[in-house]
Amino acid sequence: MSPSRRSVALLGATGSIGVQTLDVLRREREKFELVAIAGGEQLSELAAIAKEFDVKSVAVKSERHRSEFVDLVERDVEIVVGDEGLRDLSQHADVIVNAVLGFAGLPVTLGALSAGKRLALANKESLIAAAPLVAKVRNTDGAALLPIDSEHCAIHQCLASSPGIAGYPDVRRIVLTASGGPFRGWNDEQLKGATKEDALHHPTWTMGAKITIDSSTLMNKGLEVLEASALFGIDVERIDVVVHPQSIVHSMVEYVDGSVLAQLSRPDMRLPIAYCLGLPERLAHAYGALDFSKPLALSFEPPDAAAFPALGLAYEAARVAGAAPAWLSAANEVAVAAFLADQIKWRDIVAIVASTMDHYVADPLDSLSSLYENDDVARRWARASLDR
Ligand code: MG
């Protein structure tokens, strides 16, 4: 083993980002050692990963999952359980990849940063919900927060040309690109009849179900506005969204002198994953390389704010701040789960989020217990509006 190998904990190993991270790690065994993994219900996949990479520690959801996993893994690994287990594994590697689904990824985000680790974040929900709490632990010695989200990874690369003064005074605005999702250009009548199958059919990216549905409502882009603001410390009034159907320009930074810097590549999540693992080194795999020997047309258009009200809700939550972003994200998780379970129509997803936000009571969100309480209350309001 090379002494300079970086140890990696991949928490959320069996989902879409997890699988693509494993693909990067397989090609880079001399540089990285996968030491810890976590997963949810797909225990046989988790056991197969543990065997293939000879990992030392595995986090599972519950004692029931532990006993099932022990039978599957057929080797001696440390097994830890639940939120405590996730938090524990987020503190014992050089790089922590947070690919846990949704708000459940919170212990990983806070655990990794408070332990001074490099956090490669694919879980935007935890950062959005806990932004004031993340800000407190982010300056821990050694801690680094790197975004796997492709738009934010693009911005991270574009910002390298800035002196990096707090608040980025030389940046006029950040421009997040959006594919527009499967319903770009659909009219009111068409959107009324949008089915689950339609919504799960993303035009440019292959991703997990939750984020694919979020892309269809543009809630994903709304959450990404909040994510960018929290990551880079830039007010949402300086963050714009532009629809770019080709998903080649992953986002842009416009400087005060009018220069716009962009990062371009084919849509391939392995590129931002490799960037976050390798920084400051770039790993030589050219996952997203473009072929300029063929015609390539790039187009940009403003989003349709009336057809996709999720964007406006996200900006509003950002302006209200405190626990409002946590409410937005929690209500959205409940609504998307209900849509995936065929309980509501596509249009109802954002309607439920909007009606949940009507019940928000201002809270500065100054503690972890207050965050869990807010998350719980928001989910209850969202579930209540499901039944209406
Ligand atoms: Mg994204």
Side-chain angles (χ1 to χ4, degrees), residues 124 149-152 205 207 211 220-221 224 227 269:
K124 57 175 73 87
D149 208 350
S150 60
E151 295 79 359
H152 305 75
W205 290 97
M207 307 178 288
I211 188 170
N220 183 52
K221 210 50 56 179
E224 287 182 351
E227 181 186 10
M269 286 310 294

Side-chain angles (χ1 to χ4, degrees), residues 1-57:
M1 195 217 292
S2 138
S4 61
R5 278 216 293 179
R6 259 182 205 161
S7 59
V8 176
L10 173 56
L11 309 178
T14 57
S16 176
I17 293 291
V19 167
Q20 294 179 84
T21 303
L22 293 171
D23 188 69
V24 174
L25 293 174
R26 256 180 217 114
R27 299 161 193 241
E28 295 286 358
R29 287 187 191 261
E30 275 145 44
K31 293 198 172 92
F32 302 101
E33 179 190 16
L34 183 63
V35 295
I37 54 175
E41 301 303 326
Q42 291 166 284
L43 292 174
S44 46
E45 284 87 341
L46 200 63
I49 299 164
K51 290 184 211 175
E52 181 190 346
F53 288 88
D54 200 20
V55 305
K56 297 186 180 77
S57 309

Side-chain angles (χ1 to χ4, degrees), residues 94 96 109-120 134-146:
D94 300 324
I96 315 300
T109 294
L110 293 176
L113 293 175
S114 60
K117 302 298 183 185
R118 171 183 295 195
L119 173 65
V134 169
K136 286 184 196 167
V137 291
R138 208 175 154 176
N139 293 328
T140 311
D141 253 8
L145 176 47
L146 296 179

